[in-house]
Amino acid sequence: MKKNLIRPEPDIRSTESHSPETSSGGGPDSTVRLASYNIHLGIGRDGVFAPERIAGVLAECAADIVALQEVPLGPQPYDMLDYLQKATGMHALAGPTLVNKIHGAYGNAMLSRYKVLSVQRLDISIPRSQPRGAIDASLDCRLAGFAEPLRVIATHLGLRPAERRLQVPRLLDAIDERDKKGVTPTVLLGDINEWFLWGRPLRWLNAHFRKPRALATFPSGCPVFALDRIWVRPSRLIMRLEVHRSALSRVASDHLPLFADLRI
């Protein structure tokens, strides 16, 4: 597999949280909840731009770590990540994939209640296609019972099968390269955009981790496709994997959030 391109930490914007760095359970036996949510620029199924609805869905999910896709990153016309960071009080990491002088930056983001120990931006863009990337962060989850950092990789893969067949090996190479320095608990999550359950990218990911349940998250009004995924290694950490369904989540975006509860 061809080695991925890694861009250093300065490509990632980090905003400090003012909330306590504990999980929602608040003790050494706590569960860590991770979620993946494509927020569709904050535009709901009704065509209305309503950032407060996205913040409301995040409050309903009560996740400790959230991977976000299709996020306006500012500064103009709107910095959705800044708004969500203030609404949640969490640490915020930006992973822009597109930058436009008029429309600002756009791409991936991550929110975390836990202290960020390190972060890199992985460039998995394919020529002549929309730029794509991933945020690769190490988080200090000791207050939830983790003796070592939790590695969380948040991504949004391409629309075309040919793109994903090149992007997934780059992500797996990045995981393997870091594992040479010592294997730590690892989560890969995001909008994988894989419509085919038998597609090679899914087979590769399931072989590298362990096949999780495929839960439909798109379209949010009547979910049919499992476009959003969460893989965890070791898989024994997963206690629960569910789609968050509520009246608000069905209208706030065209995707429903997917969440996983982990316990050490």
Side-chain angles (χ1 to χ4, degrees):
M1 293 182 182
K2 183 180 177 180
K3 295 299 180 184
N4 65 296
L5 300 177
I6 298 180
R7 295 194 178 173
E9 184 171 343
D11 286 294
I12 297 290
R13 171 166 54 88
S14 177
T15 306
E16 290 302 314
S17 165
H18 298 290
S19 63
E21 288 162 3
T22 61
S23 73
S24 55
D29 296 324
S30 297
T31 296
V32 176
R33 175 167 291 183
L34 297 101
S36 179
Y37 190 20
N38 184 323
I39 66 170
H40 194 229
L41 296 166
I43 301 172
R45 288 175 54 233
D46 55 4
V48 176
F49 174 68
E52 67 277 7
R53 295 195 297 205
I54 300 299
V57 172
L58 293 181
E60 291 179 346
C61 290
D64 302 297
I65 302 162
V66 187
L68 300 169
Q69 302 87 44
E70 297 190 15
V71 184
L73 298 169
Q76 298 296 332
Y78 191 78
D79 191 335
M80 175 71 83
L81 183 57
D82 181 67
Y83 171 81
L84 294 176
Q85 190 276 328
K86 291 174 180 175
T88 62
M90 299 167 77
H91 297 273
L93 301 173
T97 54
L98 287 171
V99 179
N100 183 282
K101 292 182 180 179
I102 297 175
H103 300 293
Y106 162 92
N108 302 311
M110 187 185 298
L111 296 169
S112 173
R113 299 194 191 281
Y114 299 102
K115 181 180 179 180
V116 179
L117 300 175
S118 66
V119 61
Q120 287 182 318
R121 176 178 179 265
L122 308 182
D123 186 352
I124 55 172
S125 300
I126 305 302
R128 296 179 295 280
S129 299
Q130 180 178 328
R132 301 286 180 172
I135 300 172
D136 185 353
S138 289
L139 306 176
D140 183 357
C141 298
R142 286 176 294 177
L143 290 173
F146 284 74
E148 52 194 342
L150 177 65
R151 185 183 185 188
V152 180
I153 304 170
T155 193
H156 187 186
L157 300 187
L159 291 171
R160 295 184 297 115
E163 293 177 72
R164 299 191 295 274
R165 287 195 292 268
L166 295 173
Q167 289 163 345
V168 167
R170 292 187 184 185
L171 287 173
L172 296 179
D173 278 345
I175 293 170
D176 291 341
E177 186 66 26
R178 172 91 165 270
D179 283 349
K180 293 177 182 178
K181 302 177 182 178
V183 177
T184 62
T186 301
V187 179
L188 173 62
L189 74 172
D191 181 350
I192 305 303
N193 262 327
E194 185 57 72
W195 303 75
F196 306 108
L197 295 177
W198 56 89
R200 278 176 282 176
L202 275 184
R203 296 205 306 267
W204 295 333
L205 288 164
N206 290 334
H208 199 279
F209 291 86
R210 183 176 177 181
K211 185 178 180 179
R213 290 190 298 154
L215 302 176
T217 56
F218 179 87
S220 58
C222 185
V224 177
F225 300 104
L227 300 188
D228 306 278
R229 300 294 184 110
I230 300 177
W231 286 271
V232 180
R233 190 191 64 191
S235 59
R236 60 175 172 78
L237 296 179
I238 301 180
M239 306 300 295
R240 182 183 180 192
L241 181 65
E242 299 288 347
V243 175
H244 176 72
R245 297 179 177 89
S246 70
L248 184 59
S249 68
R250 288 185 180 95
V251 70
S253 172
D254 59 348
H255 286 243
L256 293 174
L258 178 69
F259 71 87
D261 289 341
L262 275 57
R263 188 183 295 271
I264 195 67

